[in-house]
């Protein structure tokens, strides 16, 4: 696999049973790159380790005054130099390729899992942790995968050199063969503590990242309540904890690095002392002493890779564990399903609450608990929680959890109360799968996005077409109402069999809301639409209104009928807190000029509707008396 072949056509199904298993799976899926790196690493390390033998041979040739052997030694040194240069260049190239391809595979897996889980992901994993896994953790995982081949080449080279020294000069070679494994294994007792400190540092860093991510996401709200300094102090405290953890971890790794320098030095002193004694006794030649000395000195280079692989594993293991945890998340409805892949049509029914949305009608649902409304909206779309034992919603009598995931999503589209806009142009944002019966212009008009288009056109200097204007990440450059309307237009373009909207107009003013209600009713004519709302303007346009109270449908009817005859419904819609107050005729509110927001406007409309109903009742009584 080459870098230009990325992304993978299929990144595969990872082994997410544990962090180490995930690392093994990654390495196994790029064996070709690992073998290449191993071969180039062997060429590099063997060439480096061959220099001492060539130098010793050259020294002995000088002592023996042999020009032919000196020339041969020079040629061997040139060959080793060429091997070192070629091996080092290609080893670096293949190692970086392995790093990038492993990281790219992990990022593809994370992106695929994120797209599959959708909004359920951030409810089960903090957004900051997802960012941390897809950035820093991916790099650490790639580091370990590419370091394995270099460590293997270094380990094989050390074994070959030790065997060669034993054969070349047994008296000194045995000392080296015994001392080198001690050097390699001396740091093992320190690795568990270093690993724990690295894990602790990573946990602290992950929490700090989560805090920073959540703070940035809610910065506009924090500024509104004057909470910037409070959260800044919290982040300062979290960052100081990360710094202290990093210092403690660095101390342990510096101790390991010091041991890696000290012990080879001691071995080198022992070899020189013993070798000098052997040379004075005439048991070895000067060239052999120089060869063994040089070999031991150069062995410290591949020995450093033992320290590197230990560090790479210590840092990548918790990263792989976190990545495996995210990749192991599943939806309760994931799978092929037990029915054939067809998109059902018909009435939408929820057995848990008794809610029925007739096919081709606009049904409004009033729920006093916003959280319960969000859960019900998700269940209507087949997004049943994994821990829930409630039955699935049915479309045309077909349970959504028995359908393949793609078919269930095509049958019912749910727009939650906090939809996300991806960065890109408006044209790209609205380029979503759909029936083709609803174009972008009609959807934007129904969602009352004319002012949004004007704002985008004025803010884009390089294009006059608002469809080519760029939208920033999550639409942060737009107001809440503008984001909400663009998300509504995107949902209308898809034109699904069933569209479920959770508070689609909570951030817009009452005049715009009234026009949106008319647009939704007109554009979704003949399609099944369910709107969770307590806005009288939307409720008045619904063909059918259902009140869900304490997990069950308590009343069904038209908005005006329910407002007049159902106290619980009236309490939710008019924001009354006392049932007795709902029976009394409300006083006319002050003119709209004294209001400060869309909430008050909605309450005014509801109270006005109630007053008009009471006036109609009085007229009917007068007519009957006459």
């Amino acid at each position: 696999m080459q870098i230009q072949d990325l992304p993978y056509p299929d990144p595969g199904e990872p082994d997410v049973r544990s962090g180490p298993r995930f690392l093994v799976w990654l390495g196994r899926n790029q064996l070709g790159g690992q073998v290449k790196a191993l071969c180039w690493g062997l060429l590099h390390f063997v060439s480096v380790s061959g220099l001492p033998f060539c130098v010793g041979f050259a020294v002995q040739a000088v002592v023996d005054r042999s020009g032919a052997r000196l020339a041969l030694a020079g040629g061997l040194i040139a060959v080793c130099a060429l091997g070192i240069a070629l091996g080092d260049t290609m080893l670096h190239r293949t190692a970086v390729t392995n790093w990038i391809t492993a990281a790219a595979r992990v990022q593809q897996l994370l992106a695929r899992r994120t797209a599959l889980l959708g909004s359920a992901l951030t409810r089960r994993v903090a957004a900051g942790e997802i960012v941390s896994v897809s950035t820093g953790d991916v790099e650490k995982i790639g580091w370990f995968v590419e370091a394995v081949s270099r460590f293997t080449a270094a380990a094989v080279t050390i074994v070959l050199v030790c065997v060669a020294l034993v054969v070349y000069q047994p008296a000194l070679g045995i000392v080296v063969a015994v001392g080198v494994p001690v050097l390699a294994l001396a740091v093992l007792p320190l690795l568990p503590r270093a690993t724990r400190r690295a894990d602790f540092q990573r946990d602290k860093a992950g929490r700090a990242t989560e805090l920073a991510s959540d703070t940035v996401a809610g910065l506009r709200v924090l500024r509104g309540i004057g909470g910037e300094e409070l959260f800044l102090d919290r982040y300062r405290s979290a960052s100081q904890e990360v710094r202290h953890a990093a210092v403690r971890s660095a101390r342990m790794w510096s101790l390991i690095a010091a041991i890696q320098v000290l012990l080879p030095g001691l071995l080198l002193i022992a070899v020189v002392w013993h070798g000098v004694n052997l040379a004075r006794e005439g048991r070895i030649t000067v060239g052999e002493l120089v060869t063994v000395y040089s070999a031991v000195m150069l062995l410290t280079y591949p020995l450093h890779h033992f320290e590197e692989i230990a560090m790479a594993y210590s840092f990548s293991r918790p990263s792989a564990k976190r990545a495996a945890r995210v990749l192991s998340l599943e939806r309760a409805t994931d799978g092929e399903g037990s029915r054939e892949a067809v998109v059902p049509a018909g009435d939408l029914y929820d057995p848990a609450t008794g809610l029925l949305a007739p096919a081709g009608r606009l049904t409004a649902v009033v729920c006093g608990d916003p959280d319960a409304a969000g859960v019900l909206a998700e269940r209507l779309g087949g997004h049943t929680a994994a821990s829930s034992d409630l039955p699935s919603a049915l479309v045309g009598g077909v349970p959504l959890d028995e359908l393949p995931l793609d078919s269930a999503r095509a049958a019912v589209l749910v727009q939650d109360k906090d939809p996300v806009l991806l960065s890109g142009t408006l044209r790209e944002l609205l380029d979503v799968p759909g029936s083709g019966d609803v174009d972008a212009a009609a959807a934007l008009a129904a969602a009352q996005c004319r002012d949004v288009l004007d704002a985008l056109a004025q803010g884009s200097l390089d294009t006059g077409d608002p469809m080519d204007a760029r939208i920033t990440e999550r639409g942060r450059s737009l107001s809440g109402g503008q984001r909400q309307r663009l998300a509504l237009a995107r949902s209308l373009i898809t034109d699904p069999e069933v569209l479920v909207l959770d508070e689609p107009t909570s951030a817009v003013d009452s005049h715009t809301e009234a026009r949106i209600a008319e647009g939704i009713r007109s554009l979704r004519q003949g399609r099944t639409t369910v709107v969770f709302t307590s806005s009288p303007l939307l409720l008045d346009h619904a063909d059918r209104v259902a009140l869900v109270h304490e997990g069950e449908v308590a009343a069904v009817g038209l908005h005006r009928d329910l407002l007049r005859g159902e106290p619980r419904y009236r309490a939710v819609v008019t924001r009354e807190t006392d049932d007795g107050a709902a029976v009394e005729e409300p006083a006319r509110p002050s003119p709209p000029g004294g209001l400060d927001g869309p909430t008050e406007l909605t309450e005014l409309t509801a109270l006005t509707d109630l007053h008009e109903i009471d006036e109609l009742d009085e007229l009917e009584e007068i007519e009957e008396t006459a």
Side-chain angles (χ1 to χ4, degrees):
M1 177 65 70
Q2 300 296 323
I3 293 179
Q4 58 262 33
D5 297 327
L6 296 175
Y8 295 100
D10 180 13
E13 290 297 329
D15 186 346
V16 294
R17 289 176 290 177
S18 66
R21 289 177 182 270
F22 181 60
L23 292 174
V24 171
W25 178 84
L26 281 175
R28 193 171 62 244
N29 275 269
Q30 53 185 76
L31 283 178
Q34 297 287 353
V35 171
K36 288 181 181 178
L38 175 60
C39 293
W40 291 118
L42 284 174
L43 174 62
H44 175 64
F45 290 125
V46 169
S47 299
V48 171
S49 303
L51 282 177
F53 295 93
C54 298
V55 172
F57 187 70
V59 170
Q60 192 61 41
V62 172
V63 172
D64 296 339
R65 297 180 180 276
S66 173
R69 282 188 292 170
L70 184 60
L72 178 60
L76 292 175
I77 291 175
V79 172
C80 288
L82 179 62
I84 292 172
L86 180 61
D88 188 32
T89 301
M90 298 307 297
L91 173 61
H92 179 74
R93 180 185 178 90
T94 53
V96 171
T97 300
N98 288 338
W99 188 338
I100 293 176
T101 51
R105 187 186 296 274
V106 177
Q107 287 181 328
Q108 276 190 257
L109 291 170
L110 289 171
R112 184 174 68 179
R113 183 58 48 182
T114 301
L116 183 62
L117 292 174
S119 61
L121 178 61
T122 53
R123 287 194 294 273
R124 301 169 68 176
V125 181
E129 183 173 352
I130 299 172
V131 173
S132 181
V133 170
S134 60
T135 54
D137 285 338
V138 166
E139 292 185 3
K140 292 181 176 64
I141 292 171
W143 176 28
F144 174 76
V145 171
E146 67 89 11
V148 168
S149 55
R150 288 189 286 113
F151 162 74
T152 305
V156 172
T157 301
I158 290 173
V159 172
L160 292 177
V161 171
C162 289
V163 172
L165 288 176
V166 171
V167 174
Y168 178 72
Q169 179 43 253
L172 289 177
I174 292 176
V175 176
V176 176
V178 172
V180 168
V182 174
L183 299 181
L185 302 177
V187 297
L188 287 182
L190 299 177
L191 288 180
R193 181 177 296 181
T195 301
R196 287 194 298 270
R197 292 190 179 186
D199 290 350
F200 183 74
Q201 175 197 350
R202 183 59 189 80
D203 289 340
K204 291 294 184 181
R207 292 175 185 175
T209 303
E210 293 174 19
L211 179 61
S213 176
D214 294 341
T215 302
V216 171
L219 190 58
R220 183 174 296 180
V221 177
L222 291 178
R223 287 175 176 171
I225 63 176
E228 304 101 308
E229 289 299 325
L230 173 63
F231 279 83
L232 181 59
D233 290 340
R234 291 183 182 179
Y235 182 74
R236 283 172 179 160
S237 176
S239 63
Q240 288 301 312
E241 291 179 1
V242 174
R243 184 180 67 83
H244 290 308
V247 170
R248 292 184 70 248
S249 179
R251 286 173 180 169
M252 184 56 62
W253 286 111
S254 64
L255 177 59
I256 293 175
I259 292 175
Q260 290 286 329
V261 174
L262 176 62
L263 293 184
L266 295 177
L267 177 61
L268 193 61
I269 292 173
V271 168
V272 171
W273 179 79
H274 185 53
V276 168
N277 289 333
L278 293 177
R280 290 176 61 185
E281 295 173 2
R283 295 170 59 182
I284 64 172
T285 64
V286 175
E288 290 174 338
L289 176 59
V290 172
T291 298
V292 177
Y293 168 80
S294 302
V296 174
M297 184 175 63
L298 290 178
L299 276 179
T300 58
Y301 172 52
L303 277 173
H304 282 306
H305 289 277
F306 284 76
E307 176 190 351
E308 182 194 13
I309 196 66
M311 291 183 65
Y313 180 73
S314 298
F315 283 101
S316 65
R317 186 179 63 84
S319 297
K321 180 180 178 181
R322 279 183 290 271
R325 185 167 73 89
V326 174
L327 294 174
S328 64
L329 297 177
E330 298 283 350
R331 282 192 184 275
T333 54
D334 281 350
E336 297 299 325
S338 57
R339 294 176 178 263
E340 60 178 336
V342 296
V343 178
D347 296 344
L348 175 64
Y349 178 68
D350 177 41
T353 59
L355 176 64
L356 173 66
R361 308 286 292 278
L362 174 59
T363 302
V365 181
V366 176
C367 189
D369 184 358
D371 293 334
V375 173
L376 177 55
E378 290 187 353
R379 191 162 66 248
L380 292 178
H383 303 271
T384 308
S387 58
S388 175
D389 56 355
L390 296 176
S392 170
L394 293 82
V395 176
V398 179
L400 291 176
D401 60 0
E402 296 182 6
L403 290 171
L405 188 61
D406 293 343
S407 299
R409 297 296 173 268
V412 183
L413 173 66
V414 179
Q415 177 182 304
D416 60 25
K417 64 183 64 179
D418 188 22
V420 176
L421 302 182
L422 301 179
S423 59
T425 65
L426 180 58
R427 193 183 307 278
E428 293 170 342
L429 175 70
L430 301 180
D431 185 17
V432 293
S435 64
D437 295 336
V438 179
D439 58 18
L444 289 169
Q448 299 300 310
C449 294
R450 170 50 55 189
D451 64 314
V452 184
L453 297 178
D454 293 341
L456 290 174
Q458 293 174 3
S460 180
L461 301 178
D462 55 346
T463 177
D465 189 352
M467 295 297 291
D468 294 325
R470 295 198 63 83
I471 298 175
T472 58
E473 180 186 2
R474 290 180 173 268
R476 299 188 193 279
S477 59
L478 304 173
S479 67
Q482 291 173 331
R483 289 196 300 270
Q484 200 170 54
R485 282 178 282 160
L486 285 180
L488 175 60
R490 180 179 58 187
S491 298
L492 293 174
I493 289 176
T494 60
D495 193 31
E497 289 290 334
V498 179
L499 176 61
V500 179
L501 303 172
D502 188 5
E503 295 289 352
T505 59
S506 59
V508 300
D509 62 81
S510 61
H511 300 290
T512 305
E513 187 177 33
R515 293 193 294 269
I516 290 176
E518 296 174 358
I520 293 176
R521 181 178 179 85
S522 175
L523 196 64
R524 293 288 299 172
Q525 190 72 32
R527 293 285 201 179
T528 307
T529 308
V530 180
V531 181
F532 285 81
T533 184
S534 59
S535 167
L537 292 172
L538 284 175
L539 294 171
D540 195 44
H541 283 80
D543 300 315
R544 174 187 176 96
V545 180
L547 170 65
V548 177
H549 181 70
E550 295 183 353
E552 295 182 352
V553 173
V556 177
L558 294 176
H559 167 59
R560 292 176 176 267
D561 296 335
L562 292 175
L563 195 64
R564 179 169 50 192
E566 178 55 61
R568 291 171 297 183
Y569 178 85
R570 186 161 57 243
V572 174
V573 173
T574 62
R575 276 57 164 190
E576 291 180 359
T577 57
D578 184 73
D579 287 343
V583 180
E584 300 176 1
E585 178 180 338
R588 263 191 201 278
S590 57
L595 301 175
D596 350 97
T599 300
E600 288 81 356
L601 286 170
T602 302
E603 294 177 359
L604 169 62
T605 306
L607 294 173
T608 304
D609 287 344
L610 185 58
H611 184 80
E612 291 174 354
I613 290 172
D614 290 337
E615 289 180 343
L616 289 174
D617 290 341
E618 293 176 1
L619 290 174
E620 290 175 358
E621 292 177 0
I622 294 173
E623 291 176 357
E624 291 176 358
T625 304

